[in-house]
């Protein structure tokens, strides 16, 4: 049996989805990975940190009128803000820049922490869809990730931005437990695989970071179409190559037996909110 202190440390595993630049498929990966994990009988909360545009909702074909902003401004309880979807995953929309949390007063932060800690205990995984680019205000989230999923495309600009992102992490001494690199929108699989291998070689040699696994996702019209009809491809096109990639990643993540050396998300949240 767990002691009380250990019991308190329990909580969901955190999967942070990041990219060096925008438009590379971060939200698509977040949504479909969350769904693939929920298919493995895990409870998943997807946190949409995208402001205003609500791309996660568009991808899921659902709309939520409430966001964290309403929690702060109108004191609406968090469990009313969480949106249930027809896909067995729950979604929480930020509605504000995550770094704006810094500006809320202490009382707000303390209650946010308490409410949030209570709420997320029932989930096995939290998937965070973060804004593109390295953001110093989000460092404690990169750091606390059990899994950092880095999405890039084979385009040189995307690769350079991804490299810069990881280099910043190295400079700041941030070391997530596992790093998965997803190369998305690959049209030529052979060339894509070669450039991914080369890229990971560069990361390991020049940044000194160990990449846990690489994943290569084909450019498929079915993905585009799934966005248009607002139905996640992991459910409607299960044999599409990008679906297989998402299920493989979900399997790797949920099969991880190695204990994470990370402080729990709930603990880290305190540090982030400055109430540690
Ligand atoms: N594998 C793919 N095959 C075909 N099209 C794709 C693929 N991946 C992404 N796309 C297209 O790219 C678009 C952008 O994807 P997505 O919204 O996930 O990017 P993002 O990185 O979250 O962007 P942002 O930086 O704006 O949040 C999608 O709407 C889709 O049309
Ligand atoms: Mg997005």
């Amino acid at each position: 049996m767990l002691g009380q202190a250990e019991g308190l440390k329990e909580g969901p595993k955190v999967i942070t989805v990041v990219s060096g630049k925008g438009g590379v498929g971060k939200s698509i990966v977040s949504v479909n990975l969350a769904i693939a994990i929920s298919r493995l009988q895990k409870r998943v909360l997807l946190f949409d940190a995208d402001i205003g545009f609500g791309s996660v909702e568009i991808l899921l074909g659902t709309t939520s009128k409430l966001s964290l902003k309403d929690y702060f401004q109108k004191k609406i309880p968090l469990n009313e803000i969480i949106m249930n979807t027809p896909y067995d995953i729950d979604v929480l929309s930020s509605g504000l820049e995550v770094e704006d949390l810094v500006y809320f007063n202490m009382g707000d932060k303390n209650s946010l922490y308490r409410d949030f800690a209570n709420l997320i205990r029932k989930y096995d995984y939290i998937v965070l869809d973060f804004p593109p680019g390295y953001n110093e205000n989000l460092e404690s989230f990169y750091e606390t990730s059990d899994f950092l999923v880095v999405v890039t495309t084979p385009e040189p600009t995307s690769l350079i931005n991804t490299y810069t992102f990881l280099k910043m992490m190295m400079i700041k001494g941030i070391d997530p437990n596992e790093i998965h690199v997803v190369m998305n929108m690959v049209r030529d699989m052979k060339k894509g695989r070669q450039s991914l291998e080369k890229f990971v070689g560069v990361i390991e040699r020049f940044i000194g970071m160990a990449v846990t696994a690489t994943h290569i996702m084909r450019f498929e019209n079915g993905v585009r179409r799934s966005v248009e009809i607002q139905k996640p491809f992991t459910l409607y096109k299960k044999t599409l190559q990008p679906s297989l990639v998402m299920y493989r990643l979900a399997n790797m993540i949920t099969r991880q037996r190695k204990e994470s050396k990370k402080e729990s998300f709930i603990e880290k949240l305190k540090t982030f909110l400055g109430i540690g």
Side-chain angles (χ1 to χ4, degrees):
M1 228 180 92
L2 289 173
Q4 201 187 4
E6 279 171 283
L8 284 174
K9 279 197 147 207
E10 267 186 299
K13 292 253 188 285
V14 177
I15 303 163
T16 306
V17 184
V18 297
S19 68
K21 84 193 246 294
V24 298
K26 199 163 20 65
S27 296
I28 277 189
V29 166
S30 303
V31 165
N32 286 283
L33 178 61
I35 290 175
I37 294 173
S38 82
R39 295 283 114 174
L40 301 169
Q41 320 304 325
K42 307 287 183 197
R43 291 157 301 175
V44 185
L45 175 68
L46 176 57
F47 182 74
D48 181 5
D50 218 331
I51 319 302
F53 192 56
S55 60
V56 162
E57 293 173 26
I58 292 170
L59 294 173
L60 288 166
T62 47
T63 39
S64 134
K65 287 174 191 62
L66 300 170
S67 67
L68 261 189
K69 204 172 167 178
D70 300 290
Y71 168 86
F72 282 114
Q73 295 181 341
K74 301 182 193 150
K75 309 282 177 226
I76 297 184
L78 272 190
N79 60 348
E80 288 178 33
I81 289 168
I82 297 274
M83 176 177 67
N84 303 115
T85 69
Y87 307 113
D88 281 340
I89 59 168
D90 291 345
V91 175
L92 178 61
S93 293
S94 161
L96 40 81
E97 306 272 353
V98 185
E99 56 256 50
D100 284 351
L101 287 175
V102 173
Y103 302 114
F104 285 98
N105 73 44
M106 221 44 166
D108 278 349
K109 283 184 195 174
N110 275 310
S111 51
L112 173 71
Y113 172 73
R114 217 177 34 241
D115 293 351
F116 207 68
N118 263 332
L119 177 95
I120 62 178
R121 268 179 223 285
K122 69 171 181 181
Y123 295 101
D124 300 309
Y125 291 89
I126 300 189
V127 179
L128 305 168
D129 180 5
F130 269 172
Y134 190 89
N135 184 332
E136 289 192 348
N137 293 305
L138 299 177
E139 279 172 355
S140 47
F141 283 101
Y142 305 146
E143 166 76 39
T144 193
S145 307
D146 297 288
F147 306 90
L148 190 79
V149 176
V150 184
V151 186
T152 183
T153 71
E155 245 107 77
T157 48
S158 176
L159 291 175
I160 289 167
N161 287 314
T162 307
Y163 181 84
T164 308
F165 189 105
L166 294 174
K167 175 102 188 183
M168 276 306 285
M169 280 196 12
M170 185 272 278
I171 291 169
K172 297 297 186 79
I174 297 174
D175 175 25
N177 210 41
E178 286 201 11
I179 300 177
H180 290 260
V181 176
V182 177
M183 185 178 273
N184 185 24
M185 302 204 226
V186 174
R187 289 169 192 269
D188 179 328
M189 291 300 269
K190 195 173 162 214
K191 274 196 200 147
R193 211 162 280 129
Q194 283 167 351
S195 97
L196 182 53
E197 251 169 54
K198 207 166 127 195
F199 183 59
V200 168
V202 169
I203 292 172
E204 299 193 326
R205 199 151 4 106
F206 294 103
I207 305 186
M209 253 179 200
V211 172
T212 312
T214 56
H215 311 267
I216 189 157
M217 220 151 88
R218 202 191 275 275
F219 181 95
E220 289 281 359
N221 287 324
V223 170
R224 194 145 274 186
R225 173 110 187 94
S226 80
V227 177
E228 280 161 17
I229 62 170
Q230 299 188 298
K231 292 190 191 300
F233 56 84
T234 30
L235 289 178
Y236 291 89
K237 295 256 182 211
K238 284 193 178 153
T239 55
L240 201 68
Q241 193 270 355
S243 294
L244 301 177
V245 174
M246 290 294 97
Y247 281 107
R248 172 176 179 259
L249 179 54
N251 268 310
M252 284 183 144
I253 284 175
T254 53
R255 270 194 205 145
Q256 181 216 261
R257 288 288 169 265
K258 192 177 72 174
E259 239 344 278
S260 173
K261 57 184 183 296
K262 293 288 155 199
E263 202 180 351
S264 86
F265 183 60
I266 293 176
E267 288 297 312
K268 270 283 177 185
L269 199 61
K270 267 191 188 165
T271 319
F272 174 72
L273 291 171
I275 56 176

